[in-house]
């Protein structure tokens, strides 16, 4: 640390009880009261250099004690200024320069009072030495917070901020041993400053354009890690940022206010470049913003930034806690919905119309046909073009798939919450483009989790939940689980069984599942349709169910189970399925109650189908649902 010595005489100040005096042959003729300490000094050396004392002595008429209330730096700073007037040696360094400069300004020790006065010497030492060295410049800047208003008036703070910013962008300043890949070499040092000084330095650094935005982002992460490591729901942190020494401590409300100010300053400094900060860091800031009740503008900016790089996030990052006073849900699903809305804007702005068509059509899933609500991604083309961000990054198919997995993972965790509303769950599930889910295994896990966490759901509500599923996109493992899942509506089980049959038939014929499904007989297609039909008598249905159970158990078909007979049985099953489809519309609750036994009979029949022995599936299926003998064209 650099220092400067002013004056050549030895120290002759001494203390007698509560009085400080200077040892000379000439009697003292001036008494000055500073911070409870009385100084017996001489007018000549002090008044010649201090314009304030000249005015005060003139007003007092030369008598009484001159009092200096609220003196910057107290008695110690005044004594140093007095020694300078006597020519006694004083030492100036980065630690006390700001205090001495403020004291000299208060006393009026400028060039107007005497040439070569204390203020001019301190300014010259600051500019020529201290502001050219990293540690000294930081030390001077840090000490300005003790006298912030006066330092602003004197221009000390601005000069120090500009000097520190200039040292940051100067490649010759960096000490090689301290350079790390985790954060820039200067980030830990400026992280010790108060938020206002840190903000001014970062604004100055960004204005030069000489520092890469990724480096700026790393510095912001270092500062947030220093002062926001242990934010909890009460808004407290283990350490308090040094906004100013006078504000030390404070109640919970004051501490939360300081943290909120810090957070909003960090958000305002986020670089414009997309990958300057990680998506995980942005989501941590969003969590803190929720806890600290940050401004709506800061939250909106964080949501927008997260949507730019949502594919980089993890499920743990997306679990933003919700405040109990605002929402009953465990996680802030509204924030996630807002992120997905912004992601939809990015998807719509970056993708050409042909790519938007990849989001799917109403025919992709039987559950979405028949006039049901389209997914939000299918309507993304209707967003106002003026809201689309020009800086939105293109969304690749790989990024879409990552977002789909991310949202499904979040929904699995959210579905475990007993207070999770179905409407919000479905809104988030439908906010993702259909092309983001090549498979619906993750979405099936969401449905299954929600059904288990909400056992009180009605049948109509269960059916509404299951409409988000596309049974064609379930893997063999998920289909096997769904076929045995007693929580699912029977309609979904039927769809799973027939799509698995179509897949197996396509593999056997060397074709594709889509082609095989298209070649299914009309009675199978009727099972997947919404058409209604007439019912058979219950006795005949029970007979058919017994025959199907016997067949599933491996019994011989016998004379009564000819091909034509099996076709008639399959036709009756189709009739039962069409009756179940009528339940989706819920037109007549009484009719549904009267025929509940018939639905149970159909349910048992299809559960029996799931238990077909492994050794005879092809032979039995070929009799129940014979495909065209001509095969499938390629």
């Amino acid at each position: 640390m650099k220092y400067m010595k002013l004056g050549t005489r030895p120290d002759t100040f001494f203390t007698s009880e509560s009085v400080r005096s200077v040892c000379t042959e000439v009697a003292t003729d001036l008494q000055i009261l500073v911070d409870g300490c009385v100084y017996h000094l001489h007018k000549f050396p002090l008044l010649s250099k201090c314009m304030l004392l000249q005015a005060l002595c003139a007003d007092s008429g030369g008598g009484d004690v001159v009092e200096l209330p609220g003196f910057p730096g107290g008695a110690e700073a005044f004594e140093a200024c007095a020694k300078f007037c006597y020519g006694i040696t004083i030492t100036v360094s980065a630690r006390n320069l700001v205090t001495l400069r403020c004291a000299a300004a208060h006393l009026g020790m400028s060039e107007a009072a005497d040439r070569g006065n204390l203020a001019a010497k301190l300014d010259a030492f600051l500019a020529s030495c201290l502001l050219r060295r990293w540690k000294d410049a930081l030390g001077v800047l840090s000490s300005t917070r003790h006298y912030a208003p006066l330092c602003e008036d004197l221009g000390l703070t601005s000069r120090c901020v500009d000097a520190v910013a200039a040292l940051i962008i100067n490649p010759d300043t960096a000490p090689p041993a301290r350079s790390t890949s985790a954060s820039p070499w200067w980030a830990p040092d400026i992280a010790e400053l108060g938020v206002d000084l840190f903000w001014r330095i970062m604004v100055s650094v960004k204005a030069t354009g000489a520092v890469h935005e990724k480096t700026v982002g790393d510095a912001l992460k270092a500062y947030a890690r220093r002062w926001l490591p242990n934010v909890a729901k009460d808004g407290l942190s283990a350490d308090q940022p040094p906004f100013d020494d006078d504000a030390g401590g404070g109640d919970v409300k004051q501490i939360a206010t300081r943290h909120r100010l810090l957070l909003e300053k960090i958000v305002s400094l986020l670089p414009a470049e997309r990958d300057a900060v990680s998506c995980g860091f942005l989501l941590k800031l969003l969590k803190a913003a929720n806890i600290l009740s940050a401004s709506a503008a800061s939250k909106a900016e964080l949501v927008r930034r997260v949507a730019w790089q949502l594919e980089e996030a993890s499920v743990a990052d997306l679990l933003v806690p919700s405040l109990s006073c605002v929402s009953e849900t465990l996680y802030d699903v509204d924030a996630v919905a807002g992120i997905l809305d912004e992601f939809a804007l990015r998807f719509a702005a970056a993708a050409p119309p042909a790519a938007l068509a990849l989001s799917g059509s109403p025919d992709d899933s039987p559950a979405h046909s028949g006039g049901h609500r389209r997914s939000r991604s299918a309507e993304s083309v209707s967003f106002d073009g003026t809201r689309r961000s020009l800086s939105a990054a293109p969304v690749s198919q790989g990024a879409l798939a990552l977002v789909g997995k991310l949202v499904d993972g979040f929904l699995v965790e959210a579905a475990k919450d007993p207070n999770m509303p179905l409407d919000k769950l479905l809104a988030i599930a439908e906010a993702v483009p259909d092309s983001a889910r090549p498979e619906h295994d993750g979405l099936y896990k969401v449905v299954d989790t929600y059904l288990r966490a909400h056992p009180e759901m009605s049948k109509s509500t269960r059916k509404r939940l299951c409409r988000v599923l596309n049974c064609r996109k379930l893997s063999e493992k998920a289909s096997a689980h769904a076929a045995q899942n007693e929580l699912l509506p029977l309609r979904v089980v039927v769809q799973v069984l027939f799509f698995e049959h179509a897949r197996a038939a396509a593999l056997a014929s060397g074709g594709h599942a889509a082609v095989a499904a298209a070649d299914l007989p009309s009675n199978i297609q009727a099972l997947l349709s919404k058409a209604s039909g007439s019912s058979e008598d219950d006795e005949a249905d029970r007979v058919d169910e017994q025959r199907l159970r016997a067949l599933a158990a491996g019994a011989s078909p016998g004379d009564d189970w000819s091909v034509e007979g099996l076709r008639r049985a399959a036709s009756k099953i189709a009739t039962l399925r069409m009756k179940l489809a009528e339940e989706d519309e819920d037109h007549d609750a009484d009719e549904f109650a009267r025929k509940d036994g018939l639905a149970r009979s159909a349910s048992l029949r299809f559960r029996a189908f799931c238990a077909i022995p492994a050794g005879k599936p092809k032979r039995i299926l070929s009799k129940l649902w014979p495909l065209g003998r001509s095969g499938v064209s390629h």
Side-chain angles (χ1 to χ4, degrees):
M1 180 178 289
K2 289 289 185 177
Y3 62 91
M4 175 181 66
K5 288 186 177 293
L6 298 175
T8 57
R9 295 180 180 179
D11 188 359
T12 55
F13 273 66
F14 67 94
T15 303
S16 175
E17 295 181 353
S18 61
V19 177
R20 291 282 289 168
S21 183
V22 60
C23 182
T24 61
E25 297 178 354
V26 180
T28 59
D29 56 358
L30 178 62
Q31 297 182 46
I32 302 177
L33 178 61
V34 180
D35 201 18
C37 184
V38 178
Y39 286 87
H40 289 192
L41 304 172
H42 302 86
K43 290 182 179 180
F44 172 71
L46 268 69
L47 269 61
S48 63
K49 294 182 180 296
C50 303
M51 298 180 66
L52 176 64
L53 294 180
Q54 293 177 17
L56 292 176
C57 288
D59 293 341
S60 64
D64 300 327
V65 178
V66 176
E67 185 175 357
L68 300 177
F71 193 84
E76 183 180 355
F78 173 78
E79 185 171 323
C81 292
K83 288 180 179 180
F84 174 80
C85 295
Y86 279 96
I88 297 174
T89 301
I90 61 173
T91 302
V92 182
S93 67
R95 294 177 179 175
N96 64 351
L97 182 137
V98 171
T99 303
L100 292 178
R101 183 64 181 85
C102 291
H106 189 78
L107 289 172
M109 300 179 70
S110 63
E111 295 296 289
D114 187 28
R115 188 175 181 181
N117 214 340
L118 180 59
K121 290 184 177 296
L122 293 176
D123 287 341
F125 178 59
L126 177 67
S128 63
C129 186
L130 296 184
L131 294 185
R132 296 184 178 183
R133 298 170 57 86
W134 176 252
K135 283 293 185 182
D136 291 335
L138 276 180
V140 175
L141 177 60
S142 180
S143 60
T144 59
R145 71 179 188 273
H146 302 306
Y147 316 101
L150 186 54
C151 288
E152 289 290 352
D153 293 340
L154 296 174
L156 280 178
T157 306
S158 298
R159 292 172 63 188
C160 292
V161 166
D162 293 340
V164 170
L167 291 173
I168 286 175
I169 65 177
N170 184 0
D172 298 331
T173 308
R178 296 182 55 194
S179 298
T180 62
S181 58
S183 60
W185 62 269
W186 44 270
D189 289 333
I190 66 170
E192 298 300 321
L193 297 173
V195 62
D196 288 331
L197 295 178
F198 174 82
W199 183 82
R200 291 175 65 173
I201 290 174
M202 296 306 299
V203 168
S204 181
V205 168
K206 291 177 65 178
T208 64
V211 177
H212 195 275
E213 291 194 337
K214 181 67 168 62
T215 305
V216 174
D218 291 338
L220 294 179
K221 289 180 64 176
Y223 194 78
R225 187 166 51 246
R226 174 67 178 88
W227 299 115
L228 291 173
N230 300 317
V231 176
K233 286 193 174 182
D234 55 2
L236 294 173
S237 177
D239 300 309
Q240 302 307 322
F243 293 97
D244 55 76
D245 282 357
D246 296 332
D251 58 19
V252 172
K253 186 176 181 180
Q254 291 176 335
I255 293 173
T257 300
R258 295 172 193 166
H259 280 89
R260 183 165 57 252
L261 173 65
L262 185 153
L263 177 69
E264 292 173 354
K265 291 287 188 180
I266 291 177
V267 173
S268 69
L269 290 171
L270 289 174
E273 186 176 332
R274 177 176 176 268
D275 294 324
V277 293
S278 66
C279 190
F281 174 65
L282 294 171
L283 283 166
K284 288 178 181 178
L285 291 181
L286 184 58
K287 292 179 184 180
N290 268 17
I291 293 170
L292 298 172
S293 300
S295 65
S298 296
K299 290 183 180 180
E301 176 63 15
L302 289 172
V303 166
R304 185 176 66 87
R305 294 297 301 270
V306 169
W308 282 8
Q309 49 200 98
L310 183 58
E311 61 271 20
E312 303 171 8
S314 65
V315 174
D317 294 333
L318 210 57
L319 297 178
V320 180
S322 176
L323 299 181
S324 58
C325 60
V326 177
S327 174
E328 295 181 355
T329 57
L330 184 60
Y331 302 113
D332 191 349
V333 293
D334 292 332
V336 176
I339 291 171
L340 292 176
D341 284 342
E342 288 291 337
F343 180 80
L345 286 174
R346 170 191 164 194
F347 179 69
L356 291 176
L358 294 176
S359 61
S361 63
D363 295 335
D364 283 346
S365 173
H368 287 227
S369 62
H372 290 302
R373 182 180 62 180
R374 294 189 301 163
S375 67
R376 190 178 305 172
S377 61
E379 299 174 349
S380 58
V381 293
S382 64
F383 283 114
D384 185 359
T386 59
R387 293 184 57 201
R388 298 178 180 179
S389 174
L390 295 179
S391 58
V395 185
S396 64
Q397 188 59 39
L400 275 179
L402 290 175
V403 171
K405 290 182 179 179
L406 173 68
V407 173
D408 289 347
F410 167 78
L411 288 176
V412 169
E413 298 300 322
K416 299 176 183 177
D417 184 5
N419 296 324
M420 180 67 183
L422 179 60
D423 289 339
K424 291 188 176 182
L425 185 86
L426 293 177
I428 294 177
E430 295 174 351
V432 180
D434 293 337
S435 57
R437 291 189 178 101
E439 287 188 346
H440 272 213
D441 288 14
L443 202 54
Y444 169 72
K445 188 175 181 181
V446 174
V447 171
D448 182 60
T449 304
Y450 195 83
L451 289 173
R452 296 181 188 280
H454 301 78
E456 75 287 349
M457 291 175 61
S458 64
K459 288 186 178 181
S460 60
T461 307
R462 292 170 186 261
K463 293 171 185 175
R464 181 184 172 202
L465 170 64
C466 293
R467 285 174 187 156
V468 299
L469 278 178
N470 185 343
C471 296
R472 284 191 178 97
K473 292 187 177 182
L474 292 180
S475 66
E476 293 184 8
K477 182 177 180 181
S479 297
H481 187 280
Q484 301 295 332
N485 193 341
E486 297 180 355
L487 297 176
L488 293 175
L490 184 58
R491 177 182 60 82
V492 178
V493 177
V494 171
Q495 291 175 354
V496 171
L497 292 176
F498 281 113
F499 288 140
E500 278 300 295
H501 164 69
R503 182 187 303 173
L507 291 176
S509 61
H512 299 284
V515 178
D519 290 342
L520 287 175
S522 59
N523 60 343
I524 298 178
Q525 294 180 8
L527 285 164
L528 303 177
S529 68
K530 290 286 182 179
S532 61
S534 60
S535 62
E536 301 291 337
D537 60 282
D538 293 345
E539 182 63 28
D541 294 335
R542 282 194 292 271
V543 172
D544 290 340
E545 180 179 350
Q546 292 173 2
R547 292 179 176 179
L548 285 173
R549 282 181 177 274
L551 187 62
S556 175
D559 297 336
D560 293 338
W561 285 85
S562 62
V563 173
E564 292 300 325
L566 290 174
R567 286 180 176 173
R568 287 195 297 271
S571 177
K572 292 181 179 181
I573 294 174
T575 301
L576 293 174
R577 176 61 187 88
M578 287 185 284
K579 286 179 62 57
L580 292 175
E582 295 177 357
E583 299 173 10
D584 289 338
E585 306 299 333
D586 292 327
H587 291 316
D588 195 341
D590 294 337
E591 184 68 13
F592 174 79
R594 286 197 301 269
K595 299 177 181 178
D596 184 57
L598 185 60
R600 285 197 299 270
S601 174
S603 176
L604 292 173
R605 189 168 303 165
F606 288 110
R607 303 296 180 190
F609 176 80
C610 298
I612 292 176
K616 303 180 180 180
K618 294 182 179 179
R619 179 170 60 85
I620 295 173
L621 291 176
S622 64
K623 293 182 177 181
L624 285 174
W625 301 290
L627 297 174
R629 296 297 182 182
S630 59
V632 181
S633 60
H634 297 282

